[in-house]
Amino acid sequence: AIINGDIRQGEILTEEQLSADLGISRTPVRSAIKKLEFDDLVSINSSRNVVVVEITEKDKTDAFVARRLNEVEEAGILAEKITREQYEELIRLVEEQKQFLEKKCYSEFLDSEYEFHVKISEFCDNSWFYKIMKNIALLQRRILILSGHLERDCTSAVQEHEEILQAFLHHDREAARRAMEVHIVRVSDRLGE
């Protein structure tokens, strides 16, 4: 609900209300809040209130820089060593994105978008790339939803993913790096409009 914008930035959450809304005891709610805090989706303020973290311009800029450094390198690494099975998994995710786009299922589209980028990190077989990318991709998903023009940008994202896949197909490290960098810069530009 936080990621999808159903719970607004800055909103105060209470264990009691979450417990009642979800129909579960407060113990799993408490555990979930700890996980949300770890994922930087909520913070605990000085009054011990659980507050949905607001995404600042600095967060967006920092995420862009980290994403650019991380994902461009990952694309180059993966291009050199991608297996047929990994390539086919990424193709499946892009085809899934196209289907969700046709059906105007934007939440599901974002699930596949997230999975595409996280899989690239996973396939690099570097646990730190993977951990970093999961956090960045989660923030990116929130930013995309809150931008208000997700529908307009999906087609471009799919085309950019296909360019990355072409570089992977040819095991072209530099082409993969360029395609990923272009994708990240264009996403940033589209979000800045």
Side-chain angles (χ1 to χ4, degrees), residues 6 9 18 22 44-45 48-49 68 84 99 108 118 126 128 142-143 145 154 164 166 168-169 172 184 188 192:
D6 298 330
Q9 297 184 73
L18 290 171
L22 298 170
I44 311 299
N45 68 15
R48 303 296 303 152
N49 292 320
R68 192 173 187 179
R84 187 74 196 163
Q99 291 169 8
E108 291 84 353
V118 170
N126 179 313
W128 286 104
R142 283 186 73 198
I143 293 168
I145 289 170
C154 292
I164 295 165
Q166 277 301 306
F168 287 161
L169 177 64
D172 187 334
I184 292 166
S188 180

Side-chain angles (χ1 to χ4, degrees), residues 7 9 22 52 65 74 78 99-100 112 124 128 165 173:
I7 298 176
Q9 297 184 73
L22 298 170
V52 176
V65 171
E74 289 173 354
L78 187 58
Q99 291 169 8
F100 290 136
S112 288
C124 285
W128 286 104
L165 286 173
R173 178 184 179 88

Side-chain angles (χ1 to χ4, degrees), residues 4 93 96-97 100 106-116 141:
N4 292 333
L93 288 168
E96 200 174 76
Q97 289 169 14
F100 290 136
Y106 298 108
S107 180
E108 291 84 353
F109 174 88
L110 284 177
D111 289 342
S112 288
E113 160 85 10
Y114 171 88
E115 195 66 27
F116 178 81
R141 182 179 175 144

Side-chain angles (χ1 to χ4, degrees), residues 30-173:
R30 211 169 287 125
S31 295
I33 288 171
K34 287 179 184 174
K35 171 96 172 80
L36 291 171
E37 186 177 20
F38 179 79
D39 289 339
D40 293 321
L41 293 172
V42 300
S43 63
I44 311 299
N45 68 15
S46 58
S47 302
R48 303 296 303 152
N49 292 320
V50 178
V51 181
V52 176
V53 171
E54 294 187 46
I55 300 170
T56 66
E57 286 304 313
K58 183 174 180 350
D59 292 330
K60 292 177 186 178
T61 301
D62 290 352
F64 166 74
V65 171
R67 189 172 179 208
R68 192 173 187 179
L69 290 171
N70 201 54
E71 282 195 271
V72 169
E73 188 60 28
E74 289 173 354
I77 290 168
L78 187 58
E80 291 181 335
K81 67 178 201 164
I82 193 166
T83 66
R84 187 74 196 163
E85 293 78 21
Q86 291 169 336
Y87 179 73
E88 287 172 1
E89 175 66 11
L90 294 173
I91 286 177
R92 183 191 65 74
L93 288 168
V94 171
E95 289 303 317
E96 200 174 76
Q97 289 169 14
K98 290 178 188 176
Q99 291 169 8
F100 290 136
L101 189 53
E102 279 180 29
K103 296 175 186 174
K104 300 185 186 306
C105 298
Y106 298 108
S107 180
E108 291 84 353
F109 174 88
L110 284 177
D111 289 342
S112 288
E113 160 85 10
Y114 171 88
E115 195 66 27
F116 178 81
H117 288 279
V118 170
K119 280 288 180 193
I120 291 171
S121 295
E122 180 184 328
F123 292 158
C124 285
D125 197 29
N126 179 313
S127 63
W128 286 104
F129 277 157
Y130 182 66
K131 288 174 189 176
I132 291 167
M133 192 57 226
K134 280 177 54 180
N135 286 339
I136 293 171
L138 191 61
L139 176 63
Q140 186 72 35
R141 182 179 175 144
R142 283 186 73 198
I143 293 168
L144 287 167
I145 289 170
L146 294 171
S147 73
H149 47 78
L150 177 63
E151 295 175 29
R152 183 195 71 197
D153 298 339
C154 292
T155 302
S156 298
V158 168
Q159 291 168 347
E160 291 157 14
H161 290 170
E162 289 177 325
E163 290 168 17
I164 295 165
L165 286 173
Q166 277 301 306
F168 287 161
L169 177 64
H170 299 292
H171 297 278
D172 187 334
R173 178 184 179 88

